[in-house]
Coordinates of all heavy atoms in Angstrom, one line a residue:
M1 N 3.7 13.8 -8.4 CA 3.5 13.2 -7.1 C 4.7 13.4 -6.2 O 5.6 12.6 -6.2 CB 3.2 11.7 -7.2 CG 1.9 11.4 -7.9 SD 1.6 9.6 -7.7 CE 0.1 9.5 -8.5
E2 N 4.7 14.4 -5.4 CA 5.8 14.8 -4.6 C 6.1 13.7 -3.5 O 7.3 13.6 -3.1 CB 5.6 16.1 -4.0 CG 6.8 16.7 -3.3 CD 6.6 18.1 -2.9 OE1 6.0 18.9 -3.6 OE2 7.0 18.4 -1.7
F3 N 5.1 13.1 -3.0 CA 5.3 12.1 -1.9 C 6.2 10.9 -2.3 O 6.8 10.3 -1.5 CB 4.0 11.7 -1.3 CG 3.1 11.0 -2.3 CD1 3.1 9.6 -2.5 CD2 2.1 11.7 -3.0 CE1 2.3 9.0 -3.4 CE2 1.3 11.1 -3.9 CZ 1.4 9.7 -4.1
L4 N 6.3 10.7 -3.6 CA 7.1 9.6 -4.1 C 8.6 9.9 -4.0 O 9.4 9.0 -4.0 CB 6.8 9.2 -5.6 CG 5.4 8.5 -5.8 CD1 5.2 8.3 -7.3 CD2 5.4 7.2 -5.1
T5 N 8.9 11.1 -3.7 CA 10.3 11.5 -3.5 C 10.9 10.9 -2.2 O 12.1 10.8 -2.0 CB 10.6 13.0 -3.6 OG1 9.8 13.6 -2.6 CG2 10.2 13.6 -4.9
Y6 N 10.0 10.6 -1.3 CA 10.4 10.1 0.0 C 10.6 8.6 0.0 O 11.1 8.0 1.0 CB 9.4 10.4 1.1 CG 9.2 11.9 1.3 CD1 8.1 12.6 0.8 CD2 10.2 12.6 1.9 CE1 8.0 14.0 1.0 CE2 10.1 14.0 2.1 CZ 9.0 14.7 1.6 OH 8.9 16.0 1.7
I7 N 10.2 7.9 -1.1 CA 10.3 6.4 -1.1 C 11.5 6.1 -2.0 O 11.7 6.6 -3.1 CB 9.0 5.8 -1.8 CG1 7.8 6.2 -0.9 CG2 9.2 4.3 -1.9 CD1 6.5 5.8 -1.5
T8 N 12.3 5.2 -1.4 CA 13.5 4.7 -2.2 C 13.1 3.9 -3.4 O 12.0 3.3 -3.4 CB 14.4 3.9 -1.3 OG1 13.8 2.7 -0.9 CG2 14.9 4.7 -0.1
E9 N 14.0 3.9 -4.4 CA 13.7 3.2 -5.6 C 13.5 1.7 -5.4 O 12.7 1.1 -6.0 CB 14.8 3.4 -6.6 CG 14.9 4.8 -7.2 CD 16.0 4.9 -8.2 OE1 16.3 3.9 -8.9 OE2 16.5 6.1 -8.4
N10 N 14.2 1.1 -4.4 CA 14.1 -0.3 -4.1 C 12.7 -0.6 -3.7 O 12.2 -1.7 -4.0 CB 15.1 -0.7 -3.0 CG 16.5 -0.6 -3.4 OD1 16.8 -0.5 -4.6 ND2 17.4 -0.6 -2.5
A11 N 12.0 0.3 -2.9 CA 10.7 0.0 -2.4 C 9.6 0.3 -3.3 O 8.4 -0.2 -3.1 CB 10.5 0.8 -1.1
L12 N 9.8 1.0 -4.4 CA 8.7 1.3 -5.3 C 8.0 0.1 -5.9 O 6.8 0.2 -6.2 CB 9.3 2.2 -6.5 CG 9.6 3.7 -6.1 CD1 10.2 4.4 -7.3 CD2 8.3 4.4 -5.6
V13 N 8.8 -1.0 -6.1 CA 8.2 -2.2 -6.7 C 7.1 -2.7 -5.8 O 6.2 -3.5 -6.2 CB 9.3 -3.2 -6.9 CG1 9.8 -3.8 -5.6 CG2 8.8 -4.3 -7.8
L14 N 7.1 -2.4 -4.5 CA 6.1 -2.9 -3.6 C 4.7 -2.3 -3.8 O 3.7 -2.9 -3.4 CB 6.5 -2.7 -2.1 CG 7.7 -3.6 -1.7 CD1 8.2 -3.1 -0.3 CD2 7.3 -5.0 -1.7
I15 N 4.6 -1.1 -4.3 CA 3.3 -0.4 -4.5 C 2.4 -1.2 -5.4 O 1.3 -1.6 -5.0 CB 3.5 1.0 -5.0 CG1 4.2 1.9 -4.0 CG2 2.1 1.7 -5.3 CD1 4.6 3.3 -4.4
P16 N 2.8 -1.6 -6.6 CA 1.9 -2.5 -7.4 C 1.6 -3.8 -6.8 O 0.5 -4.4 -6.9 CB 2.5 -2.5 -8.8 CG 3.9 -2.1 -8.6 CD 4.0 -1.2 -7.4
A17 N 2.7 -4.4 -6.1 CA 2.5 -5.6 -5.4 C 1.4 -5.6 -4.3 O 0.6 -6.5 -4.2 CB 3.8 -6.1 -4.9
L18 N 1.4 -4.5 -3.6 CA 0.4 -4.3 -2.5 C -0.9 -4.1 -3.1 O -1.9 -4.5 -2.5 CB 0.8 -3.2 -1.6 CG 2.0 -3.4 -0.7 CD1 2.5 -2.2 0.0 CD2 1.7 -4.5 0.3
L19 N -1.0 -3.4 -4.2 CA -2.3 -3.2 -4.9 C -2.9 -4.5 -5.3 O -4.1 -4.8 -5.2 CB -2.1 -2.2 -6.1 CG -2.0 -0.8 -5.8 CD1 -1.6 0.0 -7.0 CD2 -3.3 -0.2 -5.2
I20 N -2.1 -5.4 -5.9 CA -2.5 -6.7 -6.3 C -2.9 -7.5 -5.1 O -4.0 -8.2 -5.1 CB -1.4 -7.4 -7.1 CG1 -1.2 -6.7 -8.4 CG2 -1.8 -8.9 -7.4 CD1 0.0 -7.1 -9.2
L21 N -2.1 -7.5 -4.1 CA -2.5 -8.2 -2.8 C -3.8 -7.7 -2.2 O -4.6 -8.5 -1.8 CB -1.3 -8.1 -1.8 CG -1.5 -8.9 -0.5 CD1 -1.7 -10.4 -0.8 CD2 -0.3 -8.6 0.4
G22 N -4.0 -6.4 -2.3 CA -5.3 -5.8 -1.8 C -6.5 -6.3 -2.6 O -7.5 -6.6 -2.0
E23 N -6.3 -6.5 -3.9 CA -7.4 -7.0 -4.7 C -7.7 -8.5 -4.4 O -8.8 -8.9 -4.4 CB -7.1 -6.8 -6.2 CG -7.1 -5.4 -6.7 CD -8.5 -4.8 -6.6 OE1 -9.5 -5.5 -6.9 OE2 -8.6 -3.6 -6.2
I24 N -6.6 -9.2 -4.1 CA -6.8 -10.6 -3.7 C -7.5 -10.7 -2.4 O -8.4 -11.5 -2.3 CB -5.4 -11.3 -3.7 CG1 -4.8 -11.5 -5.1 CG2 -5.5 -12.7 -3.0 CD1 -3.4 -11.9 -5.1
I25 N -7.1 -9.9 -1.4 CA -7.8 -9.9 -0.1 C -9.2 -9.5 -0.3 O -10.1 -10.0 0.4 CB -7.0 -9.0 0.9 CG1 -5.6 -9.6 1.2 CG2 -7.8 -8.8 2.1 CD1 -4.7 -8.7 2.0
K26 N -9.5 -8.5 -1.2 CA -10.8 -8.0 -1.4 C -11.8 -9.1 -1.9 O -12.9 -9.1 -1.6 CB -10.8 -6.9 -2.4 CG -12.1 -6.2 -2.6 CD -12.0 -5.0 -3.5 CE -13.3 -4.3 -3.6 NZ -13.2 -3.0 -4.3
G27 N -11.2 -10.1 -2.6 CA -12.0 -11.2 -3.1 C -12.3 -12.2 -2.0 O -13.2 -13.1 -2.2
I28 N -11.7 -12.1 -0.8 CA -12.0 -13.0 0.3 C -13.2 -12.5 1.1 O -13.1 -11.4 1.7 CB -10.8 -13.2 1.2 CG1 -9.6 -13.7 0.5 CG2 -11.2 -14.1 2.4 CD1 -8.3 -13.7 1.2
E29 N -14.4 -13.2 1.0 CA -15.6 -12.6 1.5 C -15.6 -12.5 3.0 O -16.3 -11.7 3.6 CB -16.8 -13.5 1.1 CG -17.0 -13.5 -0.4 CD -18.2 -14.4 -0.8 OE1 -18.9 -14.9 0.1 OE2 -18.3 -14.7 -2.0
A30 N -14.8 -13.3 3.7 CA -14.7 -13.3 5.2 C -14.0 -12.1 5.8 O -14.2 -11.8 6.9 CB -14.0 -14.6 5.7
I31 N -13.3 -11.3 4.9 CA -12.6 -10.1 5.4 C -13.3 -8.9 4.9 O -13.4 -8.7 3.7 CB -11.1 -10.2 4.9 CG1 -10.4 -11.4 5.3 CG2 -10.4 -8.9 5.3 CD1 -9.1 -11.6 4.8
P32 N -13.8 -8.0 5.8 CA -14.4 -6.8 5.4 C -13.4 -5.9 4.7 O -12.2 -5.8 5.1 CB -14.9 -6.2 6.7 CG -15.0 -7.3 7.7 CD -13.9 -8.3 7.2
N33 N -13.9 -5.1 3.8 CA -13.0 -4.2 3.0 C -12.3 -3.2 3.9 O -11.2 -2.7 3.6 CB -13.8 -3.4 2.0 CG -14.1 -4.3 0.8 OD1 -13.6 -5.4 0.7 ND2 -15.1 -3.9 0.0
K34 N -12.9 -2.8 5.1 CA -12.3 -1.8 5.9 C -11.0 -2.2 6.6 O -10.2 -1.4 7.1 CB -13.3 -1.3 7.0 CG -13.7 -2.4 8.0 CD -14.7 -1.8 8.9 CE -15.2 -2.8 10.0 NZ -16.1 -2.3 10.9
F35 N -10.8 -3.6 6.6 CA -9.6 -4.1 7.2 C -8.4 -4.3 6.2 O -7.3 -4.6 6.6 CB -9.9 -5.4 7.9 CG -10.8 -5.2 9.1 CD1 -12.0 -5.9 9.2 CD2 -10.5 -4.4 10.1 CE1 -12.9 -5.8 10.3 CE2 -11.4 -4.2 11.2 CZ -12.5 -4.9 11.3
I36 N -8.7 -4.1 5.0 CA -7.6 -4.3 4.0 C -6.4 -3.5 4.2 O -5.3 -4.0 4.2 CB -8.2 -4.2 2.5 CG1 -9.2 -5.3 2.3 CG2 -7.1 -4.2 1.5 CD1 -9.9 -5.1 0.9
P37 N -6.5 -2.1 4.5 CA -5.3 -1.4 4.7 C -4.5 -1.9 5.9 O -3.3 -1.9 5.9 CB -5.8 0.1 4.9 CG -7.1 0.1 4.2 CD -7.7 -1.3 4.4
L38 N -5.2 -2.3 6.9 CA -4.5 -2.8 8.1 C -3.8 -4.2 7.8 O -2.7 -4.4 8.4 CB -5.5 -3.1 9.3 CG -6.1 -1.8 9.9 CD1 -7.1 -2.1 10.9 CD2 -5.0 -0.9 10.5
L39 N -4.4 -5.0 6.9 CA -3.7 -6.2 6.6 C -2.6 -6.0 5.6 O -1.6 -6.8 5.6 CB -4.8 -7.1 5.9 CG -5.9 -7.7 6.8 CD1 -6.9 -8.4 6.0 CD2 -5.3 -8.5 7.9
L40 N -2.6 -5.0 4.8 CA -1.5 -4.7 3.9 C -0.3 -4.1 4.6 O 0.8 -4.3 4.1 CB -2.0 -3.7 2.8 CG -3.0 -4.2 1.8 CD1 -3.4 -3.1 0.8 CD2 -2.4 -5.4 1.0
L41 N -0.5 -3.4 5.7 CA 0.6 -2.8 6.4 C 1.7 -3.7 6.8 O 2.9 -3.5 6.5 CB 0.1 -2.0 7.6 CG 1.1 -1.2 8.3 CD1 1.8 -0.1 7.4 CD2 0.5 -0.5 9.5
P42 N 1.5 -4.9 7.4 CA 2.6 -5.8 7.7 C 3.3 -6.3 6.5 O 4.5 -6.4 6.5 CB 1.9 -6.9 8.5 CG 0.5 -6.5 8.8 CD 0.2 -5.4 8.0
F43 N 2.6 -6.6 5.4 CA 3.2 -7.0 4.2 C 4.1 -5.9 3.6 O 5.2 -6.2 3.2 CB 2.2 -7.4 3.2 CG 1.5 -8.7 3.5 CD1 0.2 -8.7 4.0 CD2 2.1 -9.9 3.3 CE1 -0.5 -9.9 4.3 CE2 1.4 -11.1 3.6 CZ 0.1 -11.1 4.1
G44 N 3.6 -4.7 3.7 CA 4.5 -3.6 3.2 C 5.7 -3.4 4.0 O 6.8 -3.2 3.5
I45 N 5.6 -3.5 5.3 CA 6.7 -3.3 6.2 C 7.8 -4.4 6.0 O 8.9 -4.1 5.9 CB 6.3 -3.1 7.7 CG1 5.5 -1.8 7.9 CG2 7.5 -3.2 8.6 CD1 4.9 -1.7 9.2
I46 N 7.3 -5.6 6.1 CA 8.2 -6.8 5.9 C 8.8 -6.8 4.5 O 10.0 -7.0 4.4 CB 7.5 -8.1 6.2 CG1 7.1 -8.2 7.7 CG2 8.3 -9.3 5.8 CD1 6.1 -9.3 8.0
G47 N 8.1 -6.5 3.5 CA 8.6 -6.5 2.1 C 9.7 -5.4 2.0 O 10.7 -5.6 1.4
S48 N 9.4 -4.2 2.5 CA 10.3 -3.1 2.4 C 11.6 -3.3 3.2 O 12.7 -3.0 2.8 CB 9.6 -1.8 2.9 OG 10.5 -0.7 2.9
M49 N 11.4 -3.9 4.4 CA 12.6 -4.2 5.2 C 13.4 -5.3 4.5 O 14.7 -5.3 4.6 CB 12.2 -4.6 6.6 CG 11.6 -3.5 7.4 SD 11.1 -4.0 9.1 CE 12.7 -3.9 9.9
A50 N 12.8 -6.2 3.8 CA 13.6 -7.2 3.1 C 14.4 -6.6 1.9 O 15.5 -7.0 1.7 CB 12.6 -8.3 2.6
L51 N 13.8 -5.6 1.3 CA 14.5 -4.9 0.2 C 15.5 -3.9 0.6 O 16.5 -3.7 0.0 CB 13.4 -4.3 -0.7 CG 12.5 -5.3 -1.5 CD1 11.4 -4.5 -2.2 CD2 13.3 -6.1 -2.5
C52 N 15.1 -3.1 1.7 CA 15.9 -1.9 2.1 C 16.8 -2.2 3.3 O 17.6 -1.3 3.6 CB 15.0 -0.7 2.3 SG 14.0 -0.3 0.9
G53 N 16.6 -3.2 4.0 CA 17.4 -3.5 5.2 C 16.5 -3.5 6.4 O 15.4 -2.9 6.5
W54 N 16.9 -4.3 7.4 CA 16.1 -4.5 8.6 C 16.4 -3.4 9.6 O 17.0 -3.6 10.7 CB 16.4 -5.9 9.2 CG 16.1 -7.0 8.2 CD1 16.9 -7.6 7.3 CD2 14.8 -7.5 7.9 NE1 16.2 -8.5 6.5 CE2 14.9 -8.5 6.9 CE3 13.5 -7.3 8.5 CZ2 13.8 -9.1 6.4 CZ3 12.4 -8.0 8.0 CH2 12.6 -8.9 7.0
T55 N 16.0 -2.2 9.2 CA 16.3 -1.0 10.0 C 15.0 -0.2 10.2 O 13.9 -0.6 9.6 CB 17.3 -0.1 9.3 OG1 16.8 0.3 8.1 CG2 18.6 -0.8 9.1
I56 N 15.0 0.8 11.0 CA 13.8 1.7 11.1 C 13.5 2.3 9.8 O 12.3 2.5 9.5 CB 14.1 2.7 12.2 CG1 14.3 2.1 13.6 CG2 13.0 3.8 12.3 CD1 13.1 1.4 14.1
T57 N 14.5 2.7 9.1 CA 14.3 3.3 7.7 C 13.5 2.3 6.8 O 12.6 2.7 6.1 CB 15.6 3.7 7.1 OG1 16.3 4.6 8.0 CG2 15.4 4.4 5.7
G58 N 13.9 1.1 6.9 CA 13.1 0.0 6.1 C 11.7 -0.1 6.5 O 10.8 -0.2 5.7
A59 N 11.4 0.0 7.8 CA 10.1 0.0 8.3 C 9.3 1.2 7.9 O 8.1 1.1 7.5 CB 10.1 -0.2 9.8
I60 N 9.9 2.4 7.9 CA 9.3 3.6 7.5 C 8.9 3.5 6.0 O 7.9 3.9 5.6 CB 10.1 4.8 7.8 CG1 10.2 5.0 9.3 CG2 9.6 6.1 7.1 CD1 11.2 6.0 9.8
Q61 N 9.8 3.0 5.2 CA 9.6 2.8 3.8 C 8.4 1.9 3.6 O 7.6 2.1 2.7 CB 10.8 2.2 3.1 CG 12.0 3.1 3.0 CD 11.7 4.4 2.1 OE1 11.1 4.2 1.0 NE2 12.0 5.5 2.7
G62 N 8.2 0.9 4.4 CA 7.0 0.0 4.3 C 5.8 0.7 4.6 O 4.7 0.5 3.9
V63 N 5.8 1.6 5.6 CA 4.6 2.4 5.9 C 4.3 3.3 4.7 O 3.1 3.5 4.3 CB 4.8 3.2 7.2 CG1 3.6 4.2 7.4 CG2 4.9 2.3 8.4
L64 N 5.3 3.9 4.1 CA 5.1 4.8 3.0 C 4.5 4.1 1.8 O 3.6 4.6 1.1 CB 6.4 5.6 2.7 CG 6.9 6.5 3.7 CD1 8.3 7.1 3.3 CD2 5.9 7.7 3.8
V65 N 5.1 3.0 1.4 CA 4.6 2.3 0.2 C 3.2 1.7 0.5 O 2.4 1.8 -0.5 CB 5.5 1.1 -0.2 CG1 6.9 1.7 -0.7 CG2 5.7 0.0 0.8
T66 N 2.9 1.3 1.7 CA 1.5 0.9 1.9 C 0.6 2.1 1.8 O -0.5 2.0 1.2 CB 1.4 0.3 3.3 OG1 2.3 -0.8 3.5 CG2 0.0 -0.3 3.6
G67 N 1.0 3.2 2.3 CA 0.2 4.4 2.2 C -0.1 4.8 0.8 O -1.2 5.2 0.4
C68 N 1.0 4.7 0.0 CA 0.8 5.1 -1.5 C -0.1 4.1 -2.2 O -0.9 4.5 -3.0 CB 2.2 5.0 -2.1 SG 3.2 6.4 -1.8
A69 N 0.0 2.8 -1.8 CA -0.9 1.8 -2.5 C -2.4 2.1 -2.1 O -3.2 2.1 -2.9 CB -0.5 0.4 -2.1
V70 N -2.6 2.3 -0.8 CA -4.0 2.5 -0.4 C -4.5 3.9 -0.9 O -5.6 4.0 -1.4 CB -4.1 2.5 1.2 CG1 -5.4 2.9 1.7 CG2 -3.7 1.1 1.7
Y71 N -3.7 4.9 -0.8 CA -4.0 6.2 -1.3 C -4.3 6.2 -2.8 O -5.3 6.7 -3.3 CB -2.9 7.2 -1.0 CG -3.2 8.7 -1.5 CD1 -4.2 9.4 -0.9 CD2 -2.4 9.3 -2.4 CE1 -4.5 10.7 -1.3 CE2 -2.6 10.5 -2.8 CZ -3.7 11.3 -2.3 OH -3.9 12.5 -2.7
G72 N -3.4 5.5 -3.6 CA -3.6 5.4 -5.0 C -4.9 4.6 -5.4 O -5.7 5.0 -6.3
N73 N -5.2 3.6 -4.6 CA -6.5 2.9 -4.8 C -7.7 3.8 -4.6 O -8.6 3.7 -5.3 CB -6.5 1.7 -3.9 CG -7.7 0.8 -4.1 OD1 -8.9 1.3 -3.7 ND2 -7.6 -0.3 -4.7
Q74 N -7.6 4.6 -3.5 CA -8.7 5.5 -3.2 C -8.9 6.6 -4.3 O -10.0 6.9 -4.6 CB -8.5 6.1 -1.8 CG -8.7 5.1 -0.7 CD -10.1 4.6 -0.7 OE1 -11.1 5.3 -0.8 NE2 -10.2 3.2 -0.6
I75 N -7.8 7.1 -4.8 CA -7.9 8.1 -5.9 C -8.6 7.5 -7.1 O -9.5 8.1 -7.6 CB -6.5 8.6 -6.3 CG1 -5.9 9.5 -5.1 CG2 -6.5 9.4 -7.6 CD1 -4.5 9.9 -5.4
V76 N -8.2 6.3 -7.5 CA -8.9 5.7 -8.6 C -10.4 5.4 -8.4 O -11.2 5.7 -9.2 CB -8.2 4.3 -8.9 CG1 -8.9 3.5 -10.0 CG2 -6.8 4.6 -9.4
K77 N -10.7 5.0 -7.2 CA -12.1 4.8 -6.8 C -12.9 6.0 -6.8 O -14.0 6.1 -7.3 CB -12.2 4.1 -5.4 CG -11.9 2.6 -5.5 CD -11.8 2.0 -4.1 CE -13.1 2.0 -3.4 NZ -13.0 1.2 -2.1
Q78 N -12.3 7.1 -6.3 CA -13.0 8.4 -6.3 C -13.2 9.0 -7.7 O -14.2 9.6 -7.9 CB -12.3 9.4 -5.3 CG -12.3 9.0 -3.9 CD -13.7 8.9 -3.3 OE1 -14.6 9.7 -3.6 NE2 -13.9 7.9 -2.5
L79 N -12.2 8.8 -8.5 CA -12.3 9.4 -9.9 C -13.3 8.6 -10.7 O -13.9 9.2 -11.7 CB -10.9 9.4 -10.6 CG -9.9 10.4 -10.0 CD1 -8.6 10.2 -10.7 CD2 -10.4 11.8 -10.1
K80 N -13.6 7.4 -10.4 CA -14.6 6.6 -11.1 C -16.0 6.9 -10.7 O -16.9 6.6 -11.5 CB -14.3 5.1 -10.9 CG -13.1 4.5 -11.6 CD -13.0 3.0 -11.4 CE -11.8 2.5 -12.1 NZ -11.7 1.0 -11.9
K81 N -16.2 7.6 -9.6 CA -17.6 7.9 -9.1 C -18.1 9.0 -10.1 O -17.5 9.9 -10.5 CB -17.5 8.5 -7.7 CG -17.4 7.4 -6.7 CD -17.5 8.0 -5.3 CE -17.4 6.9 -4.2 NZ -17.7 7.5 -2.9
T82 N -19.4 8.8 -10.3 CA -20.1 9.7 -11.3 C -21.1 10.6 -10.6 O -21.9 11.2 -11.3 CB -20.8 8.9 -12.4 OG1 -21.8 8.0 -11.7 CG2 -19.8 8.1 -13.2
E83 N -21.0 10.7 -9.3 CA -21.9 11.6 -8.6 C -21.7 13.0 -8.8 O -20.6 13.5 -8.9 CB -21.9 11.3 -7.1 CG -22.4 9.9 -6.8 CD -22.3 9.6 -5.3 OE1 -21.5 10.3 -4.6 OE2 -23.0 8.7 -4.9

C-alpha cells in the first residue's frame, strides 16, 4: 500500500479508530450510510491535528487517514461481494 507512505506514524492509529467510529455511526438508524464519510472527516482532521500538531500538515494528515479508513472499508465490502 504505497499511499500509506504519505501518512505519518503518529496518525496511523487513527485509521482503525475511524473504522470503529464508522461502524458505530452505521448503527445509528437516523443517519444514512452515504453521510458516514462526511461525518468521519472532522473526526479525522481534529484527531490528526491533535496528534501531529495544529498545522495545515496535521489537517492534511486527517484527510489522508479518513480517506484510508473509508477506502479500506470499501475494499473489504467489495471483496465480500459474490457477484
Side-chain angles (χ1 to χ4, degrees):
M1 292 188 177
E2 188 175 320
F3 58 89
L4 287 177
T5 59
Y6 297 106
I7 299 174
T8 63
E9 289 183 27
N10 293 344
L12 285 176
V13 70
L14 290 173
I15 295 172
L18 289 170
L19 284 168
I20 293 168
L21 183 60
E23 289 297 319
I24 292 170
I25 294 172
K26 187 174 183 174
I28 301 172
E29 294 178 13
I31 301 174
N33 288 345
K34 65 181 180 180
F35 294 123
I36 294 174
L38 292 175
L39 293 172
L40 290 178
L41 185 59
F43 288 104
I45 292 172
I46 292 169
S48 179
M49 289 178 82
L51 292 173
C52 300
W54 300 95
T55 62
I56 296 297
T57 303
I60 292 170
Q61 290 297 311
V63 172
L64 291 174
V65 295
T66 304
C68 285
V70 172
Y71 181 64
N73 182 289
Q74 287 300 311
I75 288 175
V76 170
K77 284 172 63 174
Q78 292 299 321
L79 289 176
K80 286 184 180 179
K81 283 188 177 182
T82 58
E83 296 179 337

